[in-house]
Amino acid sequence: MDALLAPRSLVPKQFHELSLRGRVVVSQMPQAVTTALLLLVLAVVRAPWLADPLVLWGGALTAVLTLACALVPWDRLPERSYLAIPVLDFVPIGLLFEGLFPNVLGVPFLAAIPVLWLVASAQLPRSAAALGALLTTAMLWTPELLRPGPVVLSALTAPLLIPLMILAIGTMAQVLVNSAEAKDAQLRRLLAAGDRRERLLSTVLDSVEVGVLALDETGRPLLTNNGRLYDHAQQRLARTATSARLDLYDGAGAPLPAAATPIARAVAGESFSATLVRVGKPPGQQVLSVTARVMRDEDGRAEGSVLSFSDVTELVDALQAKDDFVAGISHELRTPLTSIRGYTELLAMDERLPSSAHSGLEVIERNADQLLSLVEDLLSAHRDAADLHRVPVDLVGLLEQSVAAAQPHAARTGVSVKSWAPDSLVLDCDPVRIGQVLDNLVSNAMKYSPPDSAVFVVGTCTADRAQVQVIDHGHGMSPEDAGKVFEKFYRSRTARMSTTPGLGVGLALCKAIVEQHGGTLTCHSTLGEGTVFTLALPRTPSPVAPAGVGYARPGADRNTDSGVVSRA
């Protein structure tokens, strides 16, 4: 039986781990110990007082009730049977009071002990205090009522203060017990809800393919959702495993130092997303995509981290196979296309050919040029651009070259290209790579601009960076397309529906080149209105050049008004 003899919040936890019989014995012990101590003190101080039979009977009856608590199988009796013990405790208390009166006046207050037992049992939540006061009154009045002769009213009213005090004590205890019971019930509900959420979390974690690892602020694992994850996290992604660290590499295949492992970064308070980590050595190397988020308390202090990772080995291998295939095909296509273009030019130089043949050769040459341009884009997208050859370069000169190179195409399509730039934008960069970026941005703007429109190339600078904006008033893009325009092989819906050729690799390559320079390349577009590409590069201060020496660059003569170059 799980009846509570006292609220869990008021007694040690071990009490509720006892059997019902053990709890009854423990609840009776205060009464038994207090009575034993009282009799022991009297035996030492006032031994003659113990000669009264009522005192002896009171002590003996207390001992019998305590023995009954230990011997009676309470769990086999009706639920509230054990409450007979605190009720019967009033009998030995009354005997002791009657036998020791008037030598010891405080004996009736022993009634507070069984009253507190009745209240704390939680079996009589509304009547325990009142019942205790009534039993105390009965304990005090019974000797008076049993004495021979008429009952004196003053003898009944004189001790009424004691039952009132017992009632007050019981009522206060009842209030505390009820409050504790309410809090205990609420705590049990919260614990049950917490257990349910924990079971739900465990079920969810065990049902997903993504591995999850929760760590405290010291890096100690708190939660994991499968054994394989634990092995990876502790043996291969750990901060301290020296042998495992030797087999841990970043996405590019470079060995990871101890401080750069995912767990070390997470414990250091870093959050990151979709970081590739290679585990082991080829050919059995495994690629994991790792994401980490820092948990913080209400004050913003880090209190742990959660890492999730998934096995993307097959996806990475498939992408690499695709890149190798495209690169190989591109190399194979380049040679025959170059031959076709060369022999077409030779045939076109023959003046004996009729005009219809020349027209056909022009069609062949134009389409061969388009195919060769697409092949070059594919090769550029797969070319290793990690090595940059940085030199001090005047960015305005590169702008002029790109604008000048676009003029023939602009003349054919009716699109005008206008540029503005200051006198000098000197920075450290790879002129070939940045020129490639500018050429791509200007040619794209012209490609998607309608006839008789204008493309604007604007260069500006601040103390720490140089900026180039390429603005067109063409088809524009939706926000969704603008957000994906730098993804490799992605083309917007408008571009796919147009007759403009392209593979969608140029802008991805441009962004990679700009980021290698520590800069940014962004796109802002409005569907039906046009697009603005903004290139920003970190600027180095212009060195002081000797007299008569400067940065040479091709271009039109400068208009020195306001220090701005203007050309159309």
Side-chain angles (χ1 to χ4, degrees), residues 253-283:
L256 276 179
T261 57
I263 289 183
R265 293 171 60 188
V267 173
E270 184 180 351
S271 295
F272 49 89
S273 299
T275 298
L276 292 183
V277 177
R278 296 178 179 270
V279 181
K281 296 180 179 179

Side-chain angles (χ1 to χ4, degrees), residues 12-33:
K13 179 181 178 181
Q14 291 80 1
F15 178 83
H16 297 279
E17 297 175 354
L18 299 174
S19 64
L20 179 59
R21 181 183 301 179
R23 284 178 282 173
V24 172
V25 170
V26 171
S27 299
Q28 174 65 11
M29 289 309 296
Q31 175 70 31
V33 172

Side-chain angles (χ1 to χ4, degrees), residues 358-368:
H358 279 286
S359 298
L361 289 173
E362 289 178 358
V363 172
I364 295 174
E365 185 176 359
R366 184 169 62 252
N367 284 276

Side-chain angles (χ1 to χ4, degrees), residues 90-91 93-95 97 107-108 111 134-143:
F90 284 90
V91 176
I93 294 173
L95 294 174
F97 171 60
V107 175
L134 290 176
L135 290 173
T136 303
T137 303
M139 177 188 72
L140 296 173
W141 282 2
T142 299

Side-chain angles (χ1 to χ4, degrees), residues 146-171:
L146 294 179
R147 284 192 180 94
V151 177
V152 180
L153 183 60
S154 60
L156 298 179
T157 57
L160 285 182
L161 179 60
I162 295 176
L164 292 177
M165 293 182 65
I166 294 298
L167 178 62
I169 293 172
T171 301

Side-chain angles (χ1 to χ4, degrees), residues 218-492:
T218 64
R220 183 173 60 88
L222 298 176
L223 176 68
T224 180
N225 63 340
N226 56 58
R228 181 171 55 87
L229 167 65
Y230 186 83
D231 290 341
H232 282 308
Q234 294 304 107
Q235 299 177 13
R236 294 186 171 180
L237 301 183
R239 298 178 295 159
T240 57
T242 304
S243 59
R245 191 189 310 148
L246 297 177
D247 294 339
L248 201 62
Y249 307 88
D250 61 15
L256 276 179
T261 57
I263 289 183
R265 293 171 60 188
V267 173
E270 184 180 351
S271 295
F272 49 89
S273 299
T275 298
L276 292 183
V277 177
R278 296 178 179 270
V279 181
K281 296 180 179 179
Q285 194 174 61
Q286 187 178 26
V287 185
L288 304 177
S289 177
V290 187
T291 297
R293 291 292 181 269
V294 178
M295 298 184 296
R296 300 188 182 276
D297 58 18
E298 296 178 354
D299 297 327
R301 293 188 297 268
E303 57 181 5
S305 304
V306 176
L307 293 93
S308 63
F309 60 89
S310 54
D311 190 337
V312 294
T313 306
E314 294 183 359
L315 176 60
V316 171
D317 290 344
L319 290 175
Q320 184 62 46
K322 183 205 69 173
D323 289 346
D324 294 343
F325 174 77
V326 173
I329 291 296
S330 301
H331 279 288
E332 295 297 328
L333 290 176
R334 187 179 185 183
T335 300
L337 284 174
T338 303
S339 299
I340 292 172
R341 191 174 183 278
Y343 281 106
T344 302
E345 291 178 354
L346 289 176
L347 288 174
M349 295 171 60
D350 190 349
E351 298 180 353
R352 294 173 299 174
L353 293 177
S355 59
S356 59
H358 279 286
S359 298
L361 289 173
E362 289 178 358
V363 172
I364 295 174
E365 185 176 359
R366 184 169 62 252
N367 284 276
D369 286 341
Q370 289 185 0
L371 283 175
L372 190 59
S373 176
L374 295 178
V375 170
E376 288 293 339
D377 286 344
L378 286 172
L379 290 175
S380 297
H382 293 85
R383 191 176 295 133
D384 184 9
D387 295 330
L388 298 177
H389 303 284
R390 295 176 181 264
V391 294
V393 177
D394 190 348
L395 188 61
V396 177
L398 298 179
L399 279 176
E400 292 174 348
Q401 292 175 356
S402 296
V403 172
Q407 292 300 336
H409 181 70
R412 292 196 305 267
T413 59
V415 177
S416 61
V417 181
K418 301 179 181 181
S419 65
W420 288 267
D423 286 337
S424 178
L425 288 177
V426 179
L427 47 80
D428 281 345
C429 69
D430 186 328
V432 176
R433 293 295 186 185
I434 296 300
Q436 183 181 356
V437 172
L438 294 174
D439 289 344
N440 194 294
L441 294 179
V442 173
S443 63
N444 268 2
M446 295 174 55
K447 188 186 301 184
Y448 296 105
S449 294
D452 302 324
S453 63
V455 172
F456 300 96
V457 182
V458 181
T460 58
C461 65
T462 61
D464 59 349
R465 72 171 187 170
Q467 178 176 287
V468 177
Q469 287 186 306
V470 180
I471 308 168
D472 68 65
H473 297 85
H475 308 300
M477 292 177 286
S478 65
E480 180 182 0
D481 287 333
K484 298 180 178 180
V485 72
F486 295 110
E487 295 181 8
K488 191 181 292 186
F489 300 111
Y490 180 81
R491 300 191 74 202
S492 67

